[in-house]
Amino acid sequence: MSRLGLLLTTISAVVAAWIGWTVASAHISAFPPSGDRVLAAVAGLKSSHVYVDPDSEGLLTPAEIARIDAAAAASRPEVFVIIWRESSEAGYYLPSQALDQIGAELDRPGYYISAGAKGMAADEVGIKSDDYVGDDDTIEYDDGLSAGELATGLLAVIDENDGREFAEADTTGSQYWGGRAGTIAAGAFIGTLAGIGLAGVLAIAWFVVRTRRGAQ
């Protein structure tokens, strides 16, 4: 690579890394604005560890809600349970995205679970742990919910969560490139490629001009 190409590549990498640092330091939210459904769940979870959406009333009895609430509150990390039907038209696409929105709005680190008549999802918000909590196959949704099965499954997940080693961590920012360090590294890498590409284009242009001049 020529000196000019090396200079262009270095400048491009530095500029792109600086842009990456600026973006990573801006605390850009990873989530779109929360919709009414999410905000209703947040309001309910301010006074309880269990929120039951009006569209899912009847999936749990008052006694089951009380047992889940007590277990979720006593668990470490804390657990927050949202009972509602799945939706992709309420300001989020995946159930985990809704949990992230709720956790960010509530601003309480913990393990967030959403469940309904057709499925269950869970996500860590504001915490990081190397211990895996399995929420898959806890409930046999394919066979339809039987009486008490939803409560039993939720209590099993909460029990598995309790006592995990965890640390609080900011999980509400944009993590697309793996956080600040990843964003800076990605910017530098993209800038390097851009610099090499620009140097290549200039080299080709120089070669074409030189060839034409030599042919005249």
Side-chain angles (χ1 to χ4, degrees):
M1 182 182 292
S2 67
R3 291 182 179 179
L4 177 59
L6 181 61
L7 178 62
L8 289 173
T9 299
T10 302
I11 292 174
S12 298
V14 171
V15 171
W18 175 80
I19 292 174
W21 180 86
T22 302
V23 170
S25 301
H27 300 292
I28 298 173
S29 175
F31 321 119
S34 300
D36 293 342
R37 197 167 191 245
V38 165
L39 294 178
V42 171
L45 290 173
K46 287 182 178 179
S47 58
S48 173
H49 281 70
V50 181
Y51 168 76
V52 181
D53 193 82
D55 68 10
S56 297
E57 290 180 354
L59 289 180
L60 296 173
T61 66
E64 289 172 337
I65 293 174
R67 289 176 59 201
I68 294 169
D69 187 18
S75 179
R76 291 296 178 270
E78 287 185 274
V79 178
F80 300 90
V81 180
I82 301 95
I83 305 297
W84 61 11
R85 61 176 175 78
E86 294 182 2
S87 173
S88 59
E89 300 177 354
Y92 54 85
Y93 179 65
L94 298 173
S96 60
Q97 292 172 334
L99 296 176
D100 290 340
Q101 287 184 1
I102 293 170
E105 290 281 354
L106 192 62
D107 195 24
R108 295 178 68 181
Y111 191 59
Y112 285 73
I113 303 172
S114 69
K118 295 184 178 180
M120 179 186 295
D123 199 14
E124 296 176 345
V125 182
I127 63 171
K128 287 197 179 221
S129 174
D130 293 331
D131 296 332
Y132 174 74
V133 176
D135 55 31
D136 297 331
D137 302 325
T138 305
I139 301 174
E140 297 294 335
Y141 281 101
D142 292 340
D143 299 330
L145 286 175
S146 59
E149 187 176 9
L150 179 59
T152 300
L154 288 170
L155 288 169
V157 174
I158 293 171
D159 181 66
E160 184 178 354
N161 169 83
D162 190 22
R164 286 193 296 151
E165 292 187 4
F166 70 97
E168 293 192 11
D170 180 13
T171 60
T172 59
S174 177
Q175 300 293 317
Y176 186 80
W177 294 104
R180 179 178 295 183
T183 304
I184 296 172
F189 178 70
I190 293 172
T192 300
L193 294 181
I196 293 173
L198 180 59
V201 170
L202 291 176
I204 293 172
W206 176 82
F207 177 78
V208 171
V209 171
R210 183 178 180 183
T211 301
R212 288 183 177 178
R213 286 180 178 177
Q216 291 178 353

